[in-house]
Every structure is written in structure tokens, then in C-alpha cells.
Amino acid sequence: MTSKVTAVSLNEARRAVAEGRDAGLDIPQLAASLADRTLQTEHTPVAEHPLITKYLPWIADIAIGHASRDEAWEQVAALEAVESITTPALQIGGWYDVFIGETLRAYTEMKARAGSEQACSGQRLIVGPWSHNASGFLGYFPDRGFGITASTDAALLTEPQIAFFERWLKRQADALDSREPVRLFVMGVDQWRDEPDWPLPDTEYTAYYLRGAGPANTTGGAGTLSPAEPTDDFVDTYLYDPRRPVPSLGGTMMNMGGYDGPADQRPVHDRDDVLVFVSDVLDESLEVTGPVTATLFVSSSAPDTDFTAKLVDVHPDGRAIILCEGIQRMRYRNSLTEPEPLTPDTVYKIAIDLIATANVFLPGHQIMVEVSSSNFPRYDRNSNTGKVIAQEHLSEMAVAVNRVHRGAEYPSRVTLPVIRRY
């Protein structure tokens, strides 16, 4: 349960009091949950949270009745009917916004398949260094700030919106002529840049392989990350226990408690269930702008489990700042509509969508990839049983022996969208 869900529950409780339907006895506890996220996240079964389900009963219905992507989800997914959309759209998002994936997908899908020529050609996209929370609109976070041009105010977002409205509401044909369709904030160099399309036309998708253990380093990494193809085979084995999930540190959280954004990941690097792979220190700048994917060869003792991945920028002072993240729930590795159990200890090839980023890794920095099986509460913890997770109590959850296979036979890797401009 995120802070946003708790906030909606709190608003519903207040509305019930105002309308005489409730005495308001739950309001103090709901308010306390906004300050202490463990009150929101530690309750199991999730679908029986006593306060949130009282005020938002549809949460339980979604978690239990529609855990897979069924007709109920398809009916509310606009892009399922993208061919019927005939109106241009201006998409605005943030690299640390929980909805950044759908924002980027809306741009690409509507440009390619919308129901009219003007809807296809009229798409516009703006992405800044922001999160979903109001405080994130400043472009400044405790572990990483992006400079004076990063905020939504400094970005002058009103201007492109007015130009978009003048073109499509006032029918001023030349209102957008001088503007590229895509405007991105590139982190690292912390600059705005206009582009002709997304993904960028000059993208070079480059594999960085998870290789064997290297020398000790200040990040605590156990493995290396390199564009050189591996020759030796390794298997990393760890226990994933849903009773002690890896805590979320920043990233694309939809929270009101200040846990989102470019946070330092070092606090999780000493865990025995987090695999860390890090490149050599860079001598030259390397720009990574576009979709990011991790391809892993994995196995598990459980009928269902998760594998997670993060792309991280390691600064010379040691800060390991998250850029983007993703997860693959193994029961949905082939389909979101038809879950399939795992065969224990069978090796599967999976692709984890880390969504996207725009970042220049500067000289003196390192590229890092983290792999684990939980990132909680950004993603709900997998119980490892293959049952309906929202219905399970913590005591019913199982420990999984999870493995990541890498090397010549199993070339586990992250594919980075490299831009050669530096």
C-alpha cells in the first residue's frame, strides 16, 4: 500500500464524516500511516488491510479478482484502443515518476498507431528530472540535485502547453513549427535538450555483460560489468525471503513521504540477497538515453518468484544513485493474462524492462547494475508459493533459492541505449 492509497483512504474517511456516514475514529491512524510507511506496508494479507479496504473496497477486488491482466484491465487501458484515438497529445512526465513507462509508451504508440494523421504527427513529449510528488517538481532531492534549470517552473512548462493549445484549439498552424517534438532533461550534464523523436534516432543499443567477480572496490560490488563478452561461467545463488525484502530506496515511488527519486543505494549493497555488478571507472563521458533492458538467465526452487534490476550511477564520492528500475514476476514471464508456474531449477531467459533514463555517466563515474528478487514496497513482495499473493499471510510465505546464471553459455546482461555525442 503506498502513501498515495493511504491519502485517498484518508480523504474518503473525511468525506464519510462530513456526510454523516462515519464517526471518524480511523482518521488518526490513517494520518499516522502517512508518516510511517511500515503501518501501510507490513500488514498481511494485503487484501485485508482493515482501514484501506474499509474506505477503498475496490483495492481488495483488484488484488484478488484481477491480479492478472483480464478484461477489466483492458477496458480501462486507453492504449488498448489506440487506433480509435484521433486527438494529438502532449505527454509530460518525469524520469522518477511512477508513470514514466506509460508516458513514454503513450507517445510511441500514439505516434505509430493513432487513428488519424494529425494524432500521429501531433504527439509531443517533455520529460524532466521529476517524481510524481509535488516536492519532486523542484528537481532537487536529498541525495542528488539537478541544478537551477531542473524545476518545473524553471523549465517554463507553460510555454509549450500554450503553443500546443494554440495549434490544436485555436488552429494556429505554425504554433509548433519551431519546436522539436521531444524535449528531455539529460541528467549527469543536467541540461535540457530538444530531440526529433523518442527513442532517439541515433541510439546504439549496447550490451554490458554481468561478468565474474572482480577485485574489491569501494561500492562493495561482487562482480564486474563490461561490454566485453564473457568467457567464463558463473552462478550466483542467494535466498529470497519475503519476510525480509530488500527495502526500496528512492526510485519511481508514488509516495507522499519523501522516499522517491535519485536516492543512494549503498545501504542495500551489504545484503546477501543483492547482486552488484560495476564497470571500471570511466575515462570519458558516456551518455545513456532511452529504453533500458536487463536480459537474465535465472532459475528458482519456487513455483513463482521475482527478479528485479536497477541501473545505478556511481559517483566519485561513492554515492550510488538510482536511475531506473524494473521487475519480472516469473509467473507472468510469457504473458500477463495467462500465468505459468516455474519448473524448479530450470533455467529461464527473461527480459526485465527497466523503463528508461537519460543520463551522462561522467568521467570518474562507474556504471552499476543491481539484481535481486525484491524491491519493497515499490513492488509487492512475492510470496514464492504461486498462490494469490494478496490473500497470503506472512507466515504462509516461503523462502526461495534463486540463481542468476551468467557467462558464455548464459550471457546475462543489461542493454544500454548509448548516444555517441561526447
Side-chain angles (χ1 to χ4, degrees):
M1 300 294 180
T2 65
S3 293
K4 192 65 117 179
V5 173
T6 305
V8 175
S9 299
L10 179 59
N11 289 338
E12 177 59 28
R14 288 169 173 165
R15 188 177 298 110
V17 172
E19 295 174 357
R21 296 183 284 109
D22 193 275
L25 299 179
D26 299 325
I27 288 178
Q29 187 172 347
L30 284 167
S33 295
L34 291 176
D36 182 359
R37 65 175 175 175
T38 62
L39 297 177
Q40 311 159 39
T41 60
E42 295 303 322
H43 188 278
T44 58
V46 173
E48 296 178 11
H49 193 291
L51 296 181
I52 294 178
T53 54
K54 175 180 178 180
Y55 296 104
L56 300 176
W58 49 269
I59 290 286
D61 178 57
I62 289 175
I64 296 174
H66 305 286
S68 300
R69 187 178 177 87
D70 58 12
E71 184 178 349
W73 288 109
E74 293 174 357
Q75 288 177 346
V76 296
L79 294 183
E80 291 288 335
V82 67
E83 291 86 356
S84 66
I85 299 174
T86 58
T87 304
L90 169 60
Q91 318 281 350
I92 301 177
W95 295 124
Y96 294 99
D97 192 312
V98 68
F99 298 116
I100 183 58
E102 289 304 297
T103 300
L104 297 172
R105 182 167 170 252
Y107 173 84
T108 57
E109 289 288 302
M110 292 176 69
K111 184 170 183 179
R113 301 191 295 115
S116 71
E117 190 284 328
Q118 71 175 23
C120 292
S121 62
Q123 295 301 310
R124 294 295 184 271
L125 174 67
I126 300 173
V127 185
W130 311 313
S131 68
H132 192 74
N133 304 325
S135 60
F137 298 165
L138 298 175
Y140 181 83
F141 302 84
D143 294 335
R144 174 73 164 92
F146 295 105
I148 61 175
T149 64
S151 71
T152 52
D153 288 339
L156 303 176
L157 284 184
T158 303
E159 291 185 3
Q161 292 181 69
I162 290 175
F164 186 83
F165 293 146
E166 286 178 341
R167 170 63 184 91
W168 298 111
L169 298 182
K170 292 186 176 181
R171 303 297 179 183
Q172 297 179 8
D174 60 348
L176 296 175
D177 287 352
S178 63
R179 299 173 183 267
E180 293 281 17
V182 176
R183 189 176 187 222
L184 307 175
F185 188 92
V186 182
M187 300 177 289
V189 292
D190 296 350
Q191 296 174 356
W192 287 98
R193 197 168 70 203
D194 295 330
E195 296 288 351
D197 203 0
W198 175 271
L200 277 56
D202 54 345
T203 303
E204 297 179 13
Y205 292 98
T206 305
Y208 277 71
Y209 295 92
L210 313 185
R211 294 177 59 107
N217 57 68
T218 56
T219 63
T224 59
L225 189 68
S226 170
E229 294 188 11
T231 56
D232 298 325
D233 293 323
F234 292 86
V235 178
D236 299 298
T237 303
Y238 60 90
L239 299 181
Y240 160 52
D241 185 348
R243 298 170 186 82
R244 55 180 295 268
V246 178
S248 300
L249 300 173
T252 53
M253 296 280 285
M254 190 170 69
N255 264 329
M256 300 179 68
Y259 303 107
D260 60 344
D264 190 346
Q265 302 301 295
R266 283 180 294 180
V268 302
H269 288 170
D270 290 334
R271 292 179 59 108
D272 56 10
D273 55 357
V274 176
L275 308 178
V276 179
F277 303 88
V278 65
S279 73
D280 292 338
V281 176
L282 298 178
D283 295 325
E284 300 178 346
S285 294
L286 179 70
E287 179 176 343
V288 173
T289 295
V292 179
T293 304
T295 302
L296 302 180
F297 294 83
V298 300
S299 60
S300 177
S301 64
D304 183 42
T305 193
D306 292 342
F307 287 92
T308 63
K310 300 176 186 175
L311 179 64
V312 176
D313 185 351
V314 182
H315 291 234
D317 62 6
R319 283 176 298 148
I321 301 300
I322 186 172
L323 296 173
C324 54
E325 61 196 335
I327 188 171
Q328 178 61 62
R329 180 145 294 172
M330 292 301 289
R331 71 175 77 178
Y332 297 119
R333 64 195 180 277
N334 294 321
S335 169
L336 292 176
T337 60
E338 299 293 337
E340 302 174 43
L342 295 173
T343 299
D345 302 319
T346 297
V347 178
Y348 296 91
K349 179 182 179 181
I350 62 171
I352 302 178
D353 183 4
L354 277 67
I355 313 301
T357 191
N359 183 73
V360 176
F361 292 86
L362 297 172
H365 289 229
Q366 293 170 281
I367 307 167
M368 176 183 284
V369 171
E370 296 176 22
V371 176
S372 187
S373 288
S374 54
N375 181 358
F376 181 77
R378 171 61 182 91
Y379 307 106
D380 67 330
R381 52 188 155 197
N382 198 316
S383 61
N384 296 326
T385 66
K387 299 177 182 179
V388 179
I389 295 171
Q391 289 182 312
E392 293 185 272
H393 191 278
L394 200 62
S395 62
E396 300 173 294
M397 299 182 183
V399 177
V401 180
N402 287 348
R403 294 183 171 90
V404 176
H405 305 256
R406 51 193 176 88
E409 183 179 4
Y410 298 116
S412 292
R413 60 198 180 270
V414 62
T415 301
L416 303 180
V418 173
I419 307 298
R420 304 290 183 183
R421 299 187 188 177
Y422 292 91

